[in-house]
Structures are given as structure tokens and as C-alpha cells.
Amino acid sequence: MRARPRHPVQGRGIFSGTGVIIVGLTATIAALVFPIWSYADRSDPTGAVNVLSAQTVSTQYGPLSALDRDFIVKVRLAGLWELPAGEMAEEKGTTAAVRTAGQHLVDGHAALDAHVRTVATQLGVPIPNGPNTQQQQWLATLTAAQGQDFDREFANIVRLAHGRVFSVVAQVRAGTQNTLVRELADDANATVLDHIKVLEATGYVDFSTLARQLAVTPAPVASPPVVAPRDATPLLPSPATTTPTPSPTSPYTLPPATTSPPPASDSP
């Protein structure tokens, strides 16, 4: 007697309710694991992960970032052209307000330059000994201008430069982790704000033109190279580093950077 074929039992096999759940869970796990596995051995092609560590060095005063180093260079550059601009204003200004603004620039940048040279030495940051191309052009414009034209050029050129650096000082002060840079930013902030006020007090600042100029992003200044601090210990500027006597060919100078090599001799 042949056995009667049995009908399949409902709810069994991979297409049953339990089977569907198992298949779904397996697919989900595979979807989560595959990206991790597929990228586990891949390196970051852009190097973005290591940008911060590559551009920041450790010092006993705290981390020194690329922005910190760029700020130190900018403070030095500011003094290299604004101090001579202030001396010109003291001599060529036709009003007491312009001459007063010039005196503030001279006094402020003489003190700030001494501060920045000390900080650069302590942190091992190379700094320049001469103005950049744009600053040389500004000085040439002021040298050629006379009378009220000088007053107007002086007030507007120097006010524009201070307006641009003011935001940089604020950015550095807000984010730096280095105590020496923080102190320098405090000094620079007070100095720049004082200069902005006395320049505006001359009555020559064209605020509408200034606003348009500040809205244009200037060409970026290259950041100094990443260098390890020589020996991040407090150092004072060399006793021999003093303001040199002005010469006929270079009437406006600041002490050379203590971390830079001496200028080459002009003699053959």
C-alpha cells in the first residue's frame, strides 16, 4: 500500500516569517561591515587627517600652529613699514592730528617690534628684516606725496592696513593655545586699536572707500615653514640688538630679527 504524498507544512523554509527575518538581518550586517572592511587598509589620499599635526609643533609654552607663526610674521612686517610711515607723518604732516597719529605709530610699533622679536626668538620662528612688496609700494607712495595729499594718503593707506590686521589679531587671540602668542596678540590688539582711533581722528579717512577695500580679500601671505623650536626657553634679545643710526640711504629702520642671519655685506 503506497503512502499518500504529504502536503508541505505552511511556514517552513527560508521564505517563512522567521527565514525572512534572518535573511534581512544578514543583509544589514553585511552592509554595515563591508564599508569598514573595504576602507580599512586605504590611506587618506588628501592627508587631511594629519594636517593639524603636520602644521603644529609643541613648545613649552603650548602648541604653536601655522596661524600662530603667520601672525608673528605679520606683526614683524607691520612694524617694518608702519614705523617709517609714522616718522614721515611726524615730519610731513600738515596738521597736528596727522603728526600725532605718526607719533602713535612710531611709539606703538617700536614697543611691539621689540615684543615680537623676543617671542620669535623664544619660539624659533624665522621673521623678515624688510617690508614685503606691497608695503614697499605704500612707503614709496607716502614718500612721493606732499602737503594734504600726504595727509590723505597716510591716513587711508595705514588705516586700511590696520583694518585688515585687526581681524587677524582677533582670530589668533580667540584660538591660540600658545601663551606667548596670546600675550603678543593682546599687545597687538591694544596697539592696532589705538592706531585706528588716531588715524580716524585725522579726519582724512574715507570710510566708504575703506569698506570696499576691506571687502576685497588681499593676496595671502605665505606662512613660514614648520620648524621645531630651537630650545623653547625664555630668551632676551641680544644686548647688541639696538636701533641703528639712520643712514641717508635707509632713513627708517628697525632692529634686525634676532632669529635671522645678518644681512650680506654690500662690499665686494
Side-chain angles (χ1 to χ4, degrees), residues 66-220:
L67 180 61
D68 293 337
R69 295 190 298 276
D70 186 61
F71 170 66
I72 292 171
V73 171
K74 281 183 168 67
V75 172
R76 170 66 173 178
L77 282 171
L80 289 170
W81 85 273
E82 290 176 21
L83 189 145
E87 291 183 333
M88 278 193 272
E90 287 182 306
E91 297 175 4
K92 298 170 64 173
T94 66
T95 69
V98 172
R99 293 191 293 271
T100 297
Q103 181 183 358
H104 277 243
L105 259 67
V106 171
D107 294 343
H109 281 291
L112 188 60
D113 186 74
H115 190 173
V116 74
R117 285 185 293 112
T118 299
V119 169
T121 300
Q122 291 173 270
L123 297 176
V125 176
I127 53 177
N129 277 328
N132 62 29
T133 301
Q134 175 66 81
Q135 293 164 344
Q136 291 173 15
Q137 293 172 355
W138 285 337
L139 286 174
T141 298
L142 295 179
T143 300
Q146 301 295 330
Q148 288 190 344
D149 286 340
F150 171 83
D151 295 342
R152 189 173 296 105
E153 292 282 9
F154 167 75
N156 285 282
I157 289 175
V158 182
R159 175 61 179 83
L160 171 63
H162 279 76
R164 283 178 175 167
V165 77
F166 202 38
S167 60
V168 176
V169 175
Q171 181 183 4
V172 171
R173 181 59 181 84
T176 184
Q177 301 179 64
N178 189 281
T179 57
L180 294 184
V181 174
R182 192 175 300 124
E183 292 170 359
L184 180 63
D186 286 340
D187 192 2
N189 182 71
T191 302
V192 172
L193 182 58
D194 172 70
H195 294 173
I196 285 176
K197 290 180 178 179
V198 293
L199 289 165
E200 292 174 351
T202 64
Y204 283 106
V205 175
D206 183 344
F207 288 98
S208 60
T209 300
L210 176 66
R212 290 195 298 272
Q213 291 173 322
L214 289 176
V216 177
T217 303

Side-chain angles (χ1 to χ4, degrees), residues 220-253:
V221 177
S223 298
V226 177
V227 292
R230 286 189 186 85
D231 194 5
T233 56
L235 298 173
L236 295 176
S238 170
T241 304
T242 56
T243 304
T245 303
S247 64
T249 57
S250 180
Y252 308 109
T253 57

